[in-house]
Amino acid sequence: MIRKNSATWTVQALFCLALVLTPLAARPAAYDHSPTIGPAKGWLMIHGGGAVSADERKEFVSLAGGPDANFVFIPTASSDPINLDHAAKMFSRRFGVKHVTVLHTRDRKVANTEKFVEPLRHASGVWFEGGRQWRLADAYLGTRVEHEIKALLARGGVVGGSSAGATIQGSFLVRGDPAHPGNPDGDNRIMMVPGHEAGLALLPNSAIDQHVLVRHREDDLDQVISAHPKLLGIGIDQGAAILVHGDTFKTMDGEVLIHDGKKHAGKEYYVLQPGETFNLRTRTAQP
């Protein structure tokens, strides 16, 4: 039997206490300023909303290890009520996978418990459903959920999300305006109110918008980049997606608008077509 002295137990107890207390106090006040580089081992699938194509679903499942892998589905961006059993069956059927755990809470204390995040430790794929990105930020930013999602990426997993599930992956929370009198759903302003400017920063130093062409949002990221010129603005149209790994991303479907603070034929963005590759380190499109 292995014995540990009291000093060792004291150090470990203090360390565990720090893990419990730190995430609740770690909610960032502003967006991340790290270089705009994707996960070194893992992958991000960032989808602009609407239907996720069969090819995109197949790629997501493949990167997670196939249909027998463990998946976590997070529908928290949706409005209440959320039927967890229905959500699990819907995701399983839609993506053709067998092992799905639905994680959902609006209570940050719950999101910060060991029991709640345990499924993330055994998963290799996470998908954020669409809705309102401020709901995701309010529930999970700075908690163990954020920590475990980033740990999943570090071990080579894949995180995907559509619409609000796309925007939350950036560091600046585009349209993070929360619910308030007169606009119970929030989400109507491109520049956010204090306290709702930070995303999960799975793609650091970026601002991600969605449904950009369908909803005539082509120019909306201009003011974000003007106010925060170090950010890379990525506008993803409905039905479009990018697949991010390391210092590059590939456009899978539809059109993607790049806002880099420069003028392009009179506009403050240029368009990537399906199949094009973008170098995040140099911020240039590749042939």
Side-chain angles (χ1 to χ4, degrees):
M1 182 173 65
I2 300 174
R3 299 182 182 274
K4 299 184 179 181
N5 60 40
S6 59
T8 302
W9 282 116
T10 301
V11 171
Q12 288 188 345
L14 289 172
F15 178 73
C16 291
L17 181 61
L19 282 178
V20 172
L21 295 178
T22 298
L24 286 174
R27 185 171 182 172
Y31 63 84
D32 190 285
H33 288 270
S34 304
T36 310
I37 304 295
K41 292 184 178 181
W43 302 79
L44 303 175
M45 181 174 286
I46 308 176
H47 189 274
V52 181
S53 73
D55 286 343
E56 290 161 350
R57 297 194 303 270
K58 182 178 179 181
E59 183 76 6
F60 174 78
V61 172
S62 176
L63 290 170
D68 291 323
N70 292 323
F71 293 85
V72 168
F73 178 54
I74 301 178
T76 305
S78 301
S79 59
D80 290 323
I82 296 175
N83 185 314
L84 302 188
D85 289 338
H86 174 74
K89 292 175 182 176
M90 178 195 70
F91 183 84
S92 178
R93 183 171 61 250
R94 213 165 97 198
F95 282 80
V97 297
K98 300 175 183 177
H99 310 296
V100 181
T101 300
V102 177
L103 285 189
H104 169 64
T105 184
R106 305 222 184 270
D107 187 335
R108 291 174 54 77
K109 291 182 180 179
V110 172
N112 212 34
T113 62
E114 290 280 345
K115 181 179 179 180
F116 188 81
V117 301
E118 185 65 20
L120 288 168
R121 294 186 175 138
H122 304 285
S124 53
V126 172
W127 187 269
F128 287 101
E129 185 72 329
R132 295 291 184 260
Q133 46 266 34
W134 61 267
R135 293 183 182 125
L136 292 166
D138 281 358
Y140 303 127
L141 203 63
T143 69
R144 288 180 184 271
V145 170
E146 177 181 343
H147 174 79
E148 292 299 337
I149 286 173
K150 291 177 176 177
L152 179 148
L153 290 170
R155 62 180 182 259
V158 56
V159 174
S162 181
S163 192
T167 294
I168 194 63
Q169 296 185 53
S171 55
F172 185 93
L173 193 67
V174 175
R175 304 184 197 280
D177 188 20
H180 52 79
N183 187 25
D185 281 338
D187 191 40
N188 65 332
R189 286 185 284 178
I190 188 74
M191 293 294 288
M192 300 312 119
V193 296
H196 284 85
E197 293 183 314
L200 291 175
L202 306 184
L203 182 59
N205 216 17
S206 70
I208 301 168
D209 202 6
Q210 9 82 8
H211 303 281
V212 290
L213 297 174
V214 169
R215 299 184 182 177
H216 306 293
R217 297 173 170 178
E218 296 92 332
D219 301 313
D220 284 8
L221 281 173
D222 293 351
Q223 59 182 294
V224 176
I225 305 307
S226 177
H228 306 287
K230 292 185 178 181
L231 289 173
L232 175 66
I234 306 174
I236 306 175
D237 194 25
Q238 184 167 302
I242 63 173
L243 189 62
V244 185
H245 177 67
D247 58 8
T248 62
F249 74 69
K250 179 181 73 172
T251 303
M252 297 191 67
D253 291 297
E255 294 184 334
V256 175
L257 280 55
I258 300 297
H259 297 252
D260 58 3
K262 302 175 183 178
K263 288 288 186 180
H264 303 277
K267 297 184 180 295
E268 296 188 34
Y269 64 85
Y270 62 95
V271 180
L272 298 179
Q273 300 295 332
E276 290 195 75
T277 301
F278 186 83
N279 188 309
L280 288 162
R281 196 174 296 277
T282 62
R283 296 191 173 184
T284 56
Q286 304 296 308

